[in-house]
Amino acid sequence: MTIKTTTHQRHQMYKAHLSGQSYAAIAETHGLSPSTVRRWCRRQRDGGSVRTEWHRPKRGALSRFEPIIGYVILRLRLEHPRWGPGTILIHLRKRPSLTGQKLPSRPSIGRYLNQWQRFRRPRRRKSIVASDRPAQPIRVHECWQIDFKLGIQLEAGTQVNLHTVTDQVSSACITTQLTAAGKVGSLPSRVTEMELQATLRTAFHQWQTLPEIIQTDNEAVFVGHTSDHFPSRFTLWLTGLGFVHRRIRTGRPTRNAQVERNHQTVRNYAIIGNEALSRVQLQDILGQSVEELTHELPSWAANCQGRPPVQAYPE
């Protein structure tokens, strides 16, 4: 049976040892083991406390890593509120101050951030599976989706429209372009046909290839007005280039799921946190971001299985 000693007993044992008594003799007097007497006497000899001190190993997310790791993770997330664990891990590897440090895995970073309510993502709603989808593309660059987001506000008091082109099979972001949309406080300017064509020409040039199908929703710049009896100018332009213009069903934005997702990814990755920059400066950052998203960062699209799109689809 283990006998617990009091602080008074520990003081008395040390005094007895200082008077010349052996550990064995003191242990016999108090009914303790010599090792117990030796431990408490040596602790007092070395200036330690006679109180019992419990040392529990540090637990919790990232407890096995240097404190600076958690600090950098929080700083990156606060500077870029929409960056996920995978993106943060990529930038941890690029951080000069962390060179040679052991870094946590993507799930560990996610668990660490999940400790704070502000960093938790809301639950996703169950998607509705449509039964009348057209035949889905099976090859890279077979079908590109294009769409835009209007009226993104910058701190200089201006608005911009974000154009995004996405390959449907690989979910790779082909290009993103910003166009002027007027001043904050007024309705953002609509995307013009010339701006739309310029965005696609940029995509053709950057990738040195052409798709077979261009898929859009039913906004007027894509399909014209409902009173028109002929194809829109944009449709005729695509036809002249040898493309098929595919329009998704009205009220079904999930048919353009890849480009809608890339809108959110690009905005979270490059625009949020950089609103103080000019449109030209922000366009440069978008170009670099597309390069990183397609060549470096893991994609969690079903077809990529955690690899960057260009690695998953070298062609």
Side-chain angles (χ1 to χ4, degrees):
M1 179 178 178
T2 303
I3 300 176
K4 295 183 178 180
T5 59
T6 65
T7 55
H8 178 70
Q9 282 179 303
R10 296 164 188 170
H11 280 300
Q12 293 300 318
M13 289 188 292
Y14 185 51
K15 288 181 179 179
H17 179 61
L18 292 177
S19 67
Q21 295 186 39
S22 65
Y23 294 140
I26 298 172
E28 186 176 355
T29 301
H30 291 274
L32 302 170
S33 66
S35 61
T36 300
V37 176
R38 181 172 61 250
R39 175 163 57 87
W40 288 112
C41 288
R42 288 184 176 178
R43 177 180 287 190
Q44 293 174 79
R45 179 198 66 187
D46 297 335
S49 172
V50 295
R51 294 183 178 277
T52 302
E53 297 177 358
W54 299 99
H55 296 279
R56 294 184 178 179
K58 187 178 179 182
R59 297 180 179 178
L62 304 189
S63 60
R64 296 182 292 107
F65 298 90
E66 294 295 329
I68 191 174
I69 303 292
Y71 167 77
V72 175
I73 290 173
L74 289 176
R75 182 170 180 176
L76 287 172
R77 186 57 181 268
L78 289 171
E79 291 176 353
H80 306 277
R82 302 298 177 85
W83 279 13
T87 303
I88 291 175
L89 179 57
I90 292 293
H91 286 267
L92 287 180
R93 292 170 180 163
K94 297 180 178 181
R95 204 83 171 189
S97 60
L98 302 182
T99 302
Q101 294 274 7
K102 180 183 177 182
L103 299 179
S105 64
R106 176 179 169 272
S108 295
I109 295 174
R111 287 191 293 269
Y112 179 69
L113 292 173
N114 199 55
Q115 296 177 108
W116 292 275
Q117 181 66 35
R118 64 182 296 181
F119 296 146
R120 296 175 188 170
R121 292 186 176 181
R123 293 183 178 181
R124 296 180 179 179
R125 296 181 179 180
K126 293 183 178 179
S127 59
I128 301 175
V129 179
S131 58
D132 58 344
R133 289 182 178 274
Q136 297 301 296
I138 58 175
R139 300 183 305 279
V140 175
H141 298 307
E142 181 180 351
C143 178
W144 286 359
Q145 300 175 359
I146 182 170
D147 198 9
F148 36 78
K149 291 295 182 184
L150 304 179
I152 298 175
Q153 298 183 1
L154 304 182
E155 291 183 6
T158 59
Q159 300 181 93
V160 293
N161 295 331
L162 173 65
H163 303 226
T164 305
V165 181
T166 300
D167 178 70
Q168 185 168 340
V169 170
S170 65
S171 297
C173 186
I174 299 298
T175 192
T176 56
Q177 299 294 316
L178 294 176
T179 56
K183 299 291 185 180
V184 173
S186 60
L187 289 176
S189 304
R190 309 297 296 183
V191 174
T192 67
E193 182 185 339
M194 292 182 62
E195 291 172 339
L196 191 57
Q197 291 171 339
T199 295
L200 285 173
R201 289 192 184 99
T202 300
F204 302 154
H205 174 72
Q206 289 176 343
W207 290 82
Q208 293 295 297
T209 191
L210 300 175
E212 301 174 24
I213 303 169
I214 297 291
Q215 181 168 299
T216 70
D217 58 21
N218 292 282
E219 293 195 39
V221 68
F222 296 128
V223 301
H225 297 283
T226 55
S227 59
D228 294 341
H229 300 288
F230 297 97
S232 68
R233 290 171 54 88
F234 179 69
T235 299
L236 293 174
W237 181 71
L238 293 179
T239 302
L241 293 175
F243 304 149
V244 173
H245 183 195
R246 176 186 291 173
R247 297 178 295 174
I248 65 173
R249 183 179 173 184
T250 302
R252 292 289 188 271
T254 53
R255 301 292 176 80
N256 260 357
Q258 287 81 1
V259 72
E260 294 288 350
R261 176 59 185 168
N262 266 334
H263 271 320
Q264 181 180 354
T265 299
V266 169
R267 187 173 183 181
N268 294 343
Y269 188 68
I271 297 180
I272 293 180
N274 291 320
E275 292 91 347
L277 301 179
S278 67
R279 178 167 63 92
V280 175
Q281 292 172 320
L282 199 53
Q283 183 64 64
D284 291 338
I285 291 179
L286 281 172
Q288 179 62 34
S289 299
V290 170
E291 182 75 14
E292 293 177 358
L293 288 168
T294 54
H295 290 78
E296 298 182 38
L297 294 174
S299 171
W300 302 107
N303 295 334
C304 292
Q305 299 179 346
R307 296 171 293 174
V310 171
Q311 291 184 20
Y313 293 92
E315 65 274 22

